[in-house]
């Protein structure tokens, strides 16, 4: 009787073990690649999957997007500038059968393809393109890597360059270049401002030249503005039009008592004024 009970326990234990080996439960994002006697059969999952013990072998494949960090790669750009670049790749398995059958380890293979492609693509770009045209380089990297991983059933969705590290002396050179570019723009803006101001002044001069009184009014307006803001002495030029009526003819002939005309002679002064000698007294007859 004891022998029979022991035999039944062994049989029950074997049945439980076989059931445990033949039943698998897959999550929604998992698929089962099943090999029966070494041959690939239909893809199974998600949910409950029943296998034949000792005949079927199953490989789990996740269909979620995988974030793969590309290690630091030392590249030399086309203009011979060394740089250290890090990037990240996002991919997912779209064909579980090919991901298991076509390549031994699709995760490691994708990582190696991403590293070699990163060095190849960035080695053909200049440093300026590497710093300012990352979107274009990201698209190029994504297309090249995706073309190489497509036979494995792997879809590369995004490749992003995270960081670009360049030598310190090159950073200083870039800073000097940026400073020179800013100074160039400032000089161009100042020249354009001078040109526009000169054109506006020329238009204003044409308007003022039509009426001379306008210039005098402008003088008075300037005096009022200066006097209102600052307490200082202002030297204001006096227009010659206001002095001209008080000046007489300087070359008129003077006649003496005998009726004869006596020309008045003058000698020029160093400052441009004439010195007229005094008239001689009349001679009595």
């Amino acid at each position: 009787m004891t022998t029979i009970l022991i035999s039944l326990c062994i049989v029950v234990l074997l049945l439980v073990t076989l059931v445990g080996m033949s039943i698998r439960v897959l999550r929604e994002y998992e698929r089962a690649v099943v090999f029966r006697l070494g041959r690939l059969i239909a893809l199974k999952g998600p949910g409950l999957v029943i296998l034949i013990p000792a005949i079927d072998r199953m490989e789990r494949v996740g269909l979620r997007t995988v974030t793969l960090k590309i290690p630091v790669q030392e590249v030399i750009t086309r203009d011979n500038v060394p740089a250290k670049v890090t990037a990240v790749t996002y991919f997912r398995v779209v064909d579980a059968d090919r991901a298991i059958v076509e390549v031994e380890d699709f995760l490691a293979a994708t990582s190696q393809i991403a590293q070699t492609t990163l060095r190849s693509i960035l080695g053909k770009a200049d440093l300026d393109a590497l710093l300012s045209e990352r979107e274009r380089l990201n698209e190029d990297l994504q297309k090249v890597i995706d073309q190489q991983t497509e036979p494995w059933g792997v879809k590369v969705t995004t490749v992003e360059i995270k960081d670009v590290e360049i030598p310190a002396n090159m950073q200083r050179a870039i800073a000097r270049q940026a400073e020179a570019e800013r100074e160039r723009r400032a000089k161009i803006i100042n020249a354009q401002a001078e040109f526009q101001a000169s054109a506006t002044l020329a238009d204003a001069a044409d308007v003022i030249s039509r009426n001379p009184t306008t210039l005098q009014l402008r003088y008075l307006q300037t005096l009022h503005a200066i006097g209102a803001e600052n307490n200082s002495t202002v030297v204001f030029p006096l227009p010659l039009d206001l002095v001209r009526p008080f000046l007489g003819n300087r070359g008129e002939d003077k006649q003496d008592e005998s009726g004869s005309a006596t020309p008045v002679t003058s000698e020029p002064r160093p400052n441009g004024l004439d010195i007229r000698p005094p008239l001689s007294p009349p001679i009595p007859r």
Side-chain angles (χ1 to χ4, degrees):
M1 187 66 181
T2 305
T3 306
I4 296 174
L5 292 176
I6 294 174
S7 300
L8 289 176
C9 292
I10 294 173
V11 170
V12 172
L13 183 60
L14 289 175
L15 290 175
V16 172
T17 304
L18 291 175
V19 171
M21 294 176 59
S22 61
I23 295 177
R24 296 289 187 274
V25 178
L26 300 181
R27 298 180 180 88
E28 183 64 31
Y29 55 84
E30 292 179 336
R31 296 296 182 269
V33 179
V34 181
F35 296 90
R36 180 166 294 171
L37 297 177
R39 295 181 62 87
L40 180 66
I41 62 176
L43 188 68
K44 296 183 179 182
L48 185 64
V49 177
I50 299 176
L51 304 175
I52 300 176
I55 296 178
D56 293 343
R57 185 175 64 86
M58 186 189 74
E59 294 286 346
R60 292 176 182 263
V61 179
L63 303 183
R64 293 182 296 181
T65 300
V66 179
T67 303
L68 177 63
K69 182 180 178 181
I70 302 176
V72 179
Q73 302 296 313
E74 295 184 359
V75 299
I76 298 178
T77 60
R78 188 171 61 179
D79 49 354
N80 297 325
V81 177
K84 295 181 179 180
V85 183
T86 58
V88 61
T89 303
Y90 299 89
F91 70 92
R92 60 187 178 88
V93 177
V94 295
D95 192 338
D97 291 341
R98 288 192 296 172
I100 297 298
V101 175
E102 299 295 336
V103 63
E104 180 180 1
D105 187 351
F106 65 89
L107 182 61
T110 304
S111 176
Q112 295 298 322
I113 286 293
Q115 295 178 33
T116 56
T117 305
L118 182 67
R119 290 193 296 266
S120 176
I121 296 297
L122 299 185
K124 299 177 182 178
D126 296 332
L127 179 61
D128 294 338
L130 183 59
L131 297 177
S132 61
E133 300 180 5
R134 290 194 181 183
E135 293 183 0
R136 180 181 62 82
L137 294 175
N138 291 335
E139 293 179 358
D140 295 341
L141 289 170
Q142 186 269 333
K143 291 179 181 178
V144 175
I145 298 175
D146 185 53
Q147 289 177 358
Q148 297 180 358
T149 59
E150 192 273 335
W152 306 337
V154 176
K155 174 64 178 178
V156 178
T157 56
T158 307
V159 178
E160 293 288 341
I161 299 174
K162 294 177 57 178
D163 186 23
V164 178
E165 182 181 353
I166 58 178
N169 55 354
M170 185 57 61
Q171 295 180 10
R172 291 191 294 269
I174 293 175
R176 291 194 298 269
Q177 180 182 1
E179 184 178 359
E181 178 66 20
R182 294 292 181 182
E183 292 180 356
R184 183 184 68 85
R185 293 181 183 178
K187 291 180 180 180
I188 292 176
I189 293 174
N190 289 333
Q192 292 177 350
E194 292 291 340
F195 177 76
Q196 295 175 0
S198 62
T200 304
L201 288 175
D203 295 338
D206 293 339
V207 175
I208 293 176
S209 63
R210 300 172 187 172
N211 190 354
T213 308
T214 307
L215 185 59
Q216 297 180 7
L217 294 176
R218 182 60 179 168
Y219 286 159
L220 297 176
Q221 183 180 4
T222 304
L223 275 180
H224 176 72
I226 295 176
E229 296 180 359
N230 302 320
N231 296 325
S232 59
T233 303
V234 179
V235 179
F236 185 71
L238 184 66
L240 293 179
D241 294 340
L242 300 179
V243 184
R244 190 175 291 115
F246 299 98
L247 299 178
N249 284 333
R250 295 183 177 183
E252 295 180 352
D253 295 334
K254 303 295 182 179
Q255 294 192 7
D256 54 2
E257 295 179 358
S258 61
S260 61
T262 303
V264 179
T265 60
S266 62
E267 295 180 358
R269 295 180 61 183
N271 57 2
L273 299 179
D274 295 339
I275 300 177
R276 299 179 181 274
L279 297 176
S280 57
I283 300 174
R285 296 180 179 180

